[in-house]
């Protein structure tokens, strides 16, 4: 069994394993919808099923570049952290970089100072692996997330529009943001 990554006395990362898929699905059905239900015609059913179904989770876990964790706060699973490296977006070339792919926390954990620990962990891993930068995608309709990333040194590179027909058109813009580590 893999050891947890201890970020603080109350914050721990536990690697997600294939047998954790039902727990992951249940957690993200609640956590994702709490923040994003309003952008989907179906309140997020299609997206949650697509991203957290067994086939998708197993495919992501099988990739050597993917690192996927439950975020546990005071012993309770309250979110996820996933990063991939090396990885560059299709829309713009960002060589030798980490993608901060998913960082979702339950609303009850918002404002508790947990996200900076998760960001520090990602930066530490990126530096240990001699990566030049970290990039991410942030929905334009989530200004608090964008502010958080900007506060942590990320800069806007470009905006593109998702083609998800299940999503209300006014919420389809997504920004690629990047932080240089050098």
């Amino acid at each position: 069994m893999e050891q947890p990554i201890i970020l603080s006395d109350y914050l721990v990362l536990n690697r997600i394993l294939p047998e954790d898929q039902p727990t992951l699905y249940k957690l993200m059905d609640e956590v994702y919808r709490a923040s994003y239900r309003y952008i989907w015609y179906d309140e997020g059913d299609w997206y949650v099923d697509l991203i957290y179904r067994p086939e998708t989770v197993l495919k992501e876990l099988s990739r050597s570049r993917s690192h996927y964790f439950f975020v546990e706060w005071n012993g309770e699973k309250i979110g996820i952290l996933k990063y991939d490296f090396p990885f560059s977006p299709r829309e713009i070339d960002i060589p030798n970089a980490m993608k901060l792919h998913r960082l979702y926390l339950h609303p009850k954990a918002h404002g508790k100072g947990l996200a900076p620990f998760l960001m520090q962990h990602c930066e530490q891993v990126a530096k240990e692996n001699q990566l030049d930068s970290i990039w991410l995608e942030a929905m334009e309709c989530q200004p608090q997330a964008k502010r958080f990333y900007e506060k942590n040194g990320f800069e806007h590179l470009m905006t593109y529009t998702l083609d998800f027909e299940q999503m209300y058109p006014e919420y389809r813009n997504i920004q690629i943001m990047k932080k240089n580590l050098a």
Side-chain angles (χ1 to χ4, degrees):
M1 185 174 149
E2 195 162 325
Q3 293 296 312
I5 298 170
I6 299 169
L7 302 180
S8 77
D9 290 342
Y10 53 86
L11 190 63
V12 172
L13 298 177
N14 274 302
R15 190 168 298 278
I16 294 173
L17 303 172
E19 58 268 24
D20 294 324
Q21 182 277 330
T23 303
L24 174 64
Y25 190 104
K26 184 175 185 225
L27 175 68
M28 294 314 298
D29 192 41
E30 181 179 351
V31 171
Y32 180 83
R33 288 176 198 272
S35 295
Y36 290 95
R37 112 179 328 115
Y38 71 95
I39 71 174
W40 300 96
Y41 290 115
D42 66 359
E43 298 191 344
D45 289 347
W46 174 81
Y47 184 79
V48 168
D49 186 59
L50 174 70
I51 300 301
Y52 301 106
R53 68 174 59 154
E55 312 84 82
T56 305
V57 171
L58 292 175
K59 184 176 168 184
E60 290 184 335
L61 291 175
S62 72
R63 293 181 180 135
S64 61
R65 71 172 186 240
S66 291
H67 307 270
Y68 211 166
F69 303 93
F70 285 116
V71 177
E72 296 186 16
W73 180 43
N74 293 323
E76 179 186 0
K77 289 177 178 63
I78 51 92
I80 60 169
L81 174 66
K82 181 178 183 287
Y83 49 85
D84 302 275
F85 66 87
F87 197 73
S88 180
R90 286 183 296 253
E91 298 77 13
I92 187 171
D93 188 37
I94 305 176
N96 199 38
M98 170 189 285
K99 178 181 184 182
L100 175 51
H101 197 159
R102 296 193 188 108
L103 171 52
Y104 293 116
L105 298 175
H106 194 283
K108 68 184 172 188
H110 292 181
K112 306 291 186 195
L114 306 181
F117 284 104
L118 301 171
M119 297 300 296
Q120 289 169 6
H121 169 73
C122 290
E123 286 188 35
Q124 178 185 341
V125 170
K127 288 176 181 176
E128 287 171 358
N129 286 277
Q130 290 85 45
L131 300 174
D132 298 327
S133 60
I134 300 174
W135 67 277
L136 56 86
E137 295 170 310
M139 299 297 296
E140 275 191 356
C141 61
Q142 293 286 328
Q144 75 283 8
K146 187 177 177 220
R147 280 192 304 273
F148 170 76
Y149 293 127
E150 287 171 342
K151 189 173 136 183
N152 281 277
F154 285 81
E155 296 178 356
H156 174 262
L157 292 182
M158 66 172 291
T159 300
Y160 70 97
T161 303
L162 295 168
D163 61 2
F164 297 154
E165 292 179 10
Q166 301 82 349
M167 185 182 283
Y168 290 109
E170 62 268 30
Y171 299 122
R172 292 182 185 170
N173 284 350
I174 190 164
Q175 297 184 353
I176 294 179
M177 302 178 77
K178 176 181 148 187
K179 178 176 184 173
N180 289 320
L181 299 175

